[in-house]
Amino acid sequence: MNKKIMEEHRKTILLTASKVFAEKGYYNTRISDIAEKLGVGHGTIYRYFKNKHHLFDQLLNFVVSGISEIIKSEDPCVAVTIDDYYKQMARIGWSLFHFFAENRELANVIFYFEAISISRQDKRTYKRIENFSHTLEEYNAQYLQNGIQKGFLRKDTPVQETALVINAMVFEAIRRIFTLKEKDWNKSAQAWSKTILDLVTRGIYKRVNADLQSS
Amino acid sequence: MNKKIMEEHRKTILLTASKVFAEKGYYNTRISDIAEKLGVGHGTIYRYFKNKHHLFDQLLNFVVSGISEIIKSEDPCVAVTIDDYYKQMARIGWSLFHFFAENRELANVIFYFEAISISRQDKRTYKRIENFSHTLEEYNAQYLQNGIQKGFLRKDTPVQETALVINAMVFEAIRRIFTLKEKDWNKSAQAWSKTILDLVTRGIYKRVNADLQSS
Amino acid sequence: MNKKIMEEHRKTILLTASKVFAEKGYYNTRISDIAEKLGVGHGTIYRYFKNKHHLFDQLLNFVVSGISEIIKSEDPCVAVTIDDYYKQMARIGWSLFHFFAENRELANVIFYFEAISISRQDKRTYKRIENFSHTLEEYNAQYLQNGIQKGFLRKDTPVQETALVINAMVFEAIRRIFTLKEKDWNKSAQAWSKTILDLVTRGIYKRVNADLQSS
Amino acid sequence: MNKKIMEEHRKTILLTASKVFAEKGYYNTRISDIAEKLGVGHGTIYRYFKNKHHLFDQLLNFVVSGISEIIKSEDPCVAVTIDDYYKQMARIGWSLFHFFAENRELANVIFYFEAISISRQDKRTYKRIENFSHTLEEYNAQYLQNGIQKGFLRKDTPVQETALVINAMVFEAIRRIFTLKEKDWNKSAQAWSKTILDLVTRGIYKRVNADLQSS
DNA sequence: TATGAATGAGCTTTCATTCAT
DNA sequence: CATGAATGAAAGCTCATTCAT
């Protein structure tokens, strides 16, 4: 068969799999559930994927490489003005929102809930997820470090911890936005984005209080 | 008294179950794994729990009621000075840390990773988790609302979103702290606590920048 | 002519099938293994053979008719001198060696090991193999009977049993010779031939002992 | 459960498995066939044997150790008179008959037909069977060597080849005797034994002819 | 005619659950 | 009460076979 058609089929299967996984969870999804949803025989899926775990693996690949691409395209140390710095922060968040907007199911399945549970079965997958988490954290940490060096951020910012909690906020927001059924994610994504950026940059205390607090 | 012994056994089983679930994940844990770790016959577990899902259900109960107790004991609208307000925020976080310190496994397994995946099987459980999440969010939202009313927080703080991301940070911190094997969680918990409190109250921007930003 | 080409293809497939069967065994051979070795699509095989079992069936045909031809061309009662008798025995053995030399794979796969196991599935095949075994045995028995009648063999020779064990020796020898990879089977076949002929005619006892034994 | 009862069950399952394997062949036997014949659930079999191949493995063990015991109890070099030598030969054959008389199915299943085909799947099993075959051959070869040294056998006896064909005869006889349904194997075994012993010691030629032949 | 994508019957195996002891 | 032997539903996966191209 046409290589191109094969590739399309792979993608269709993968997409459907991610939907069913998102709906029922990995362990509660039968290969035949996916096949049924696709309207094909379950044997067909095995022509494209070695086994059930392989399906998950490919989805994981997709997320990992998608996000990797985003952070690769943004040098965490490039900003020289605080305005650039802020804009880059916003841009990266927005890219992530975009990525999951185009792959809504993945927000749910892969990212956070299923992945770690599944990876318990399989050392290799576990390592991959661990590495990926670490990469994300490290990336954010570099970004913060740069902010400190450039004098944008407070010197006493605990880099590692802050990197982690910021990531947590972003991914929680992603989960919220794309788990909801509403088609128009744009507006709510903007709200979330602003919330997180404001929280990160200014905190929620009124300034006068913040001054008192820090004095 | 027999009843008392029964209750002890239940707890022992539940504790062990949570450990094994934490280590292998719910779906990768066999009833016999738990029994083996307990050193009892696997039939015994069925004298205390109706089935495997029931074990999970009870663990969920435990977490839900534990956290519920914490928030019940802290009126989110009680603070009148900003100092009280800050201290309460710190105190609630610390109580959560304490709770998971005494039930380390629950931090990992139940609370974020497995729960939602498992609940996909079972509408009732799903609803419970949803409700509980909502409760936590609502509680935090009330707390923030109070902060605004009392004039501690900026008026433009988006209450719902902020409530959610703060929760996300806290639970991510909990997962980090108690997933690590180190016995002494106290010091790292303090670091995390400070990170989150600082981030929430002041943000990470230098004040001079923050002033510029907000002007 | 088309018919001719078809027939060639059939033979090529059959040859390859026998090789793969010999290597992996009937049940561990996939149709696609054979197709792959042939460098054709696996659907193609079904244009020449009804199904997998049919392939085996044809190979069995080939062996049966090949050996049948050999024994048909040698009247078991024709020898009148003991020299003729001996030479015929040698000649028949040698013809068998030749047949399997030209179809090495068949020595291994079909002929002893797989055939009976496969035929368990299929009454008709089972009967055929049984009949064929019987034919071989009967042929040899006639040959021995003739030897007794002509006064070449001891009168007390148990015809049926002897026929069987001689066959067993010959086919074991065939298996040994053609299972080995060495190209030059001629020399080793001669050794085996001599071993069996000597054993059959004289036994392995020293004559003086043989005399004692039989007295 | 009682260790003894467990062991009995294992044996019962193994026995039944060997019967079904003998009847239908390994690859045509479903685990559920064995379970059905036993009147138990098919899951039960997995409590006693890791998997289907393990069943075969244990049967192979049984045959290998049974036959090994027989040959271990008979030093192939012990005979000093030709009478001892002959008697030992008869005795060994008879022991083999006995062994398979008590395990009739094994004659069919394990010995020669299924074993090699099955072992194609599994290198380890293949090696074991190869080793075992080699052991048997070597044992017989030693026995023959001793016969030559002691002056019982002709000096020009080709030891390896003769060892092999004698084994082939014996195992063919075993297959014949125990594949038949008749309960009373004793008489036919005696006939076979005599046939083989006579063939081996004297050949089937009349003595006068043998003399001529060898002159 | 050749192909190989699609299919699903049919197998092995797992493991939560039951229940006789 | 505790046990663990027995069970069989239910899943993953294979591969001979079909048939549209």
Coordinates of all heavy atoms in Angstrom, one line a residue, chain B residues 171-205:
Chain B
F171 N -0.1 20.7 45.8 CA 0.0 19.3 45.6 C 1.2 18.8 44.8 O 1.7 17.7 45.1 CB -1.4 18.8 45.0 CG -2.5 18.9 46.0 CD1 -3.5 19.8 45.9 CD2 -2.5 18.0 47.1 CE1 -4.5 19.8 46.8 CE2 -3.5 18.1 48.1 CZ -4.5 19.0 47.9
E172 N 1.7 19.6 43.9 CA 2.9 19.2 43.3 C 4.0 19.1 44.3 O 4.9 18.2 44.3 CB 3.2 20.2 42.2 CG 4.5 19.9 41.4 CD 4.3 18.6 40.5 OE1 3.2 18.2 40.2 OE2 5.3 17.9 40.2
A173 N 4.1 20.1 45.1 CA 5.1 20.1 46.2 C 5.0 18.9 47.1 O 6.0 18.2 47.4 CB 5.0 21.4 47.0
I174 N 3.8 18.6 47.4 CA 3.5 17.4 48.3 C 4.1 16.1 47.6 O 4.8 15.3 48.2 CB 2.0 17.2 48.6 CG1 1.6 18.3 49.6 CG2 1.7 15.8 49.1 CD1 0.1 18.4 49.8
R175 N 3.8 16.0 46.3 CA 4.2 14.9 45.6 C 5.7 14.8 45.6 O 6.3 13.7 45.8 CB 3.7 14.9 44.1 CG 3.3 13.5 43.7 CD 2.5 13.5 42.5 NE 3.3 14.1 41.4 CZ 2.8 15.0 40.6 NH1 1.5 15.4 40.7 NH2 3.5 15.5 39.6
R176 N 6.4 15.9 45.3 CA 7.8 15.9 45.3 C 8.4 15.5 46.6 O 9.3 14.7 46.7 CB 8.3 17.3 45.0 CG 8.4 17.6 43.5 CD 9.3 16.7 42.8 NE 9.0 16.6 41.4 CZ 9.8 16.9 40.5 NH1 11.0 17.4 40.8 NH2 9.5 16.8 39.2
I177 N 7.9 16.1 47.7 CA 8.5 15.9 49.0 C 8.3 14.4 49.4 O 9.3 13.8 49.8 CB 7.8 16.8 50.0 CG1 8.0 18.2 49.7 CG2 8.3 16.4 51.4 CD1 7.1 19.2 50.5
F178 N 7.2 13.9 49.2 CA 6.9 12.5 49.8 C 7.1 11.4 48.8 O 7.0 10.2 49.2 CB 5.5 12.5 50.4 CG 5.4 13.5 51.5 CD1 4.6 14.6 51.3 CD2 6.1 13.4 52.6 CE1 4.5 15.6 52.3 CE2 6.1 14.4 53.6 CZ 5.2 15.5 53.5
T179 N 7.5 11.7 47.6 CA 7.9 10.7 46.6 C 9.4 10.4 46.9 O 9.8 9.2 46.6 CB 7.6 11.2 45.2 OG1 6.2 11.2 45.0 CG2 8.3 10.2 44.2
L180 N 10.1 11.3 47.3 CA 11.5 11.1 47.6 C 11.6 10.3 48.8 O 10.7 10.3 49.7 CB 12.2 12.4 47.8 CG 12.2 13.4 46.6 CD1 12.8 14.7 47.0 CD2 13.0 12.8 45.4
K181 N 12.7 9.5 48.9 CA 12.8 8.5 50.0 C 13.3 9.1 51.3 O 13.2 8.5 52.3 CB 13.8 7.4 49.6 CG 13.4 6.7 48.3 CD 12.4 5.6 48.4 CE 11.8 5.3 47.1 NZ 11.1 4.1 46.9
E182 N 13.9 10.3 51.2 CA 14.5 10.9 52.4 C 13.5 11.0 53.6 O 12.3 11.4 53.4 CB 15.1 12.3 52.1 CG 14.3 13.1 51.1 CD 14.9 14.5 51.0 OE1 15.3 15.0 52.0 OE2 14.8 15.1 49.9
K183 N 13.9 10.5 54.7 CA 13.1 10.4 55.9 C 12.7 11.8 56.4 O 11.6 12.1 56.8 CB 13.8 9.7 57.0 CG 13.8 8.2 56.8 CD 12.5 7.5 57.4 CE 12.4 6.1 56.9 NZ 11.2 5.4 57.4
D184 N 13.7 12.7 56.4 CA 13.5 14.1 56.9 C 12.8 15.0 55.9 O 13.5 15.6 55.2 CB 14.8 14.6 57.4 CG 14.5 16.0 58.1 OD1 13.4 16.2 58.7 OD2 15.5 16.8 58.0
W185 N 11.5 15.0 56.0 CA 10.8 15.9 55.0 C 10.7 17.3 55.5 O 10.4 18.2 54.7 CB 9.4 15.3 54.8 CG 8.6 15.2 56.1 CD1 8.7 14.2 57.0 CD2 7.7 16.2 56.7 NE1 7.8 14.5 58.1 CE2 7.2 15.7 57.9 CE3 7.2 17.4 56.2 CZ2 6.3 16.4 58.7 CZ3 6.3 18.1 57.0 CH2 5.9 17.6 58.2
N186 N 11.0 17.5 56.8 CA 10.7 18.8 57.4 C 11.4 20.0 56.7 O 10.8 21.0 56.3 CB 11.2 18.7 58.8 CG 10.2 19.4 59.7 OD1 10.1 20.6 59.8 ND2 9.4 18.6 60.4
K187 N 12.7 19.8 56.5 CA 13.5 20.9 55.9 C 13.0 21.2 54.5 O 12.8 22.4 54.1 CB 15.0 20.5 55.9 CG 15.8 21.6 56.5 CD 17.3 21.2 56.7 CE 18.1 21.4 55.4 NZ 19.5 20.9 55.6
S188 N 12.9 20.1 53.7 CA 12.5 20.4 52.3 C 11.0 21.0 52.3 O 10.7 21.8 51.4 CB 12.6 19.2 51.4 OG 11.6 18.3 51.6
A189 N 10.2 20.5 53.2 CA 8.8 21.1 53.2 C 8.9 22.6 53.5 O 8.1 23.4 52.9 CB 8.0 20.3 54.3
Q190 N 9.8 23.0 54.4 CA 9.9 24.4 54.7 C 10.3 25.2 53.5 O 9.8 26.3 53.2 CB 10.9 24.6 55.8 CG 10.2 24.7 57.2 CD 11.2 24.5 58.3 OE1 12.4 24.7 58.1 NE2 10.7 24.2 59.5
A191 N 11.3 24.6 52.7 CA 11.7 25.3 51.5 C 10.6 25.5 50.5 O 10.4 26.6 50.0 CB 12.9 24.5 50.9
W192 N 9.8 24.4 50.3 CA 8.7 24.5 49.4 C 7.7 25.5 49.9 O 7.1 26.2 49.1 CB 8.1 23.1 49.3 CG 8.9 22.2 48.4 CD1 9.7 21.2 48.8 CD2 8.9 22.2 47.0 NE1 10.3 20.6 47.7 CE2 9.8 21.2 46.6 CE3 8.3 23.0 46.0 CZ2 10.1 20.9 45.2 CZ3 8.6 22.7 44.7 CH2 9.5 21.7 44.3
S193 N 7.4 25.4 51.2 CA 6.4 26.3 51.7 C 6.8 27.7 51.5 O 6.0 28.5 51.0 CB 6.3 26.0 53.2 OG 5.2 26.7 53.8
K194 N 8.0 28.0 51.7 CA 8.5 29.4 51.5 C 8.4 29.8 50.1 O 7.9 30.9 49.7 CB 9.9 29.6 52.1 CG 10.3 31.0 52.2 CD 11.6 31.2 52.9 CE 12.2 32.6 52.8 NZ 11.5 33.5 51.9
T195 N 8.8 28.9 49.2 CA 8.8 29.2 47.8 C 7.3 29.6 47.3 O 7.1 30.6 46.7 CB 9.2 27.9 47.0 OG1 10.5 27.6 47.3 CG2 9.1 28.2 45.5
I196 N 6.4 28.7 47.7 CA 5.0 29.0 47.3 C 4.5 30.2 47.9 O 3.9 31.1 47.2 CB 4.1 27.7 47.6 CG1 4.6 26.5 46.8 CG2 2.7 28.0 47.3 CD1 3.9 25.2 47.2
L197 N 4.7 30.4 49.2 CA 4.2 31.6 49.9 C 4.8 32.9 49.3 O 4.1 33.8 49.0 CB 4.5 31.6 51.4 CG 3.6 30.6 52.2 CD1 4.2 30.4 53.6 CD2 2.2 31.1 52.3
D198 N 6.1 32.9 49.0 CA 6.7 34.0 48.4 C 6.1 34.3 47.0 O 5.8 35.4 46.7 CB 8.2 33.8 48.3 CG 8.9 34.2 49.6 OD1 8.2 34.5 50.6 OD2 10.2 34.3 49.5
L199 N 6.0 33.2 46.3 CA 5.5 33.4 44.9 C 4.1 34.0 45.0 O 3.8 34.9 44.2 CB 5.5 32.0 44.2 CG 5.2 32.0 42.7 CD1 6.3 32.8 42.0 CD2 5.1 30.6 42.1
V200 N 3.3 33.4 45.8 CA 1.9 33.9 45.9 C 1.8 35.3 46.4 O 1.1 36.1 45.8 CB 1.1 32.9 46.8 CG1 -0.3 33.6 47.1 CG2 0.9 31.6 46.1
T201 N 2.6 35.6 47.4 CA 2.5 37.0 47.9 C 3.2 38.0 47.1 O 2.6 39.1 46.8 CB 3.0 37.0 49.4 OG1 4.3 36.5 49.4 CG2 2.1 36.2 50.3
R202 N 4.4 37.8 46.7 CA 5.2 38.8 46.1 C 5.5 38.6 44.6 O 5.9 39.6 44.0 CB 6.5 38.9 46.8 CG 6.4 39.2 48.3 CD 7.7 39.6 48.9 NE 8.6 38.4 48.9 CZ 10.0 38.5 49.0 NH1 10.6 39.7 49.1 NH2 10.7 37.4 49.0
G203 N 5.4 37.4 44.2 CA 5.9 37.1 42.8 C 7.4 37.0 42.9 O 8.0 37.1 44.0
I204 N 8.0 36.8 41.7 CA 9.4 36.6 41.7 C 10.1 37.8 41.1 O 11.4 37.9 41.2 CB 9.9 35.3 41.0 CG1 9.2 35.3 39.6 CG2 9.4 34.1 41.8 CD1 9.6 34.1 38.8
Y205 N 9.4 38.8 40.6 CA 10.0 40.0 40.1 C 10.7 40.8 41.2 O 10.1 40.8 42.3 CB 9.0 40.8 39.4 CG 8.9 40.6 37.9 CD1 9.2 39.3 37.4 CD2 8.5 41.6 37.1 CE1 9.0 39.1 36.0 CE2 8.3 41.4 35.7 CZ 8.6 40.1 35.2 OH 8.5 39.9 33.8

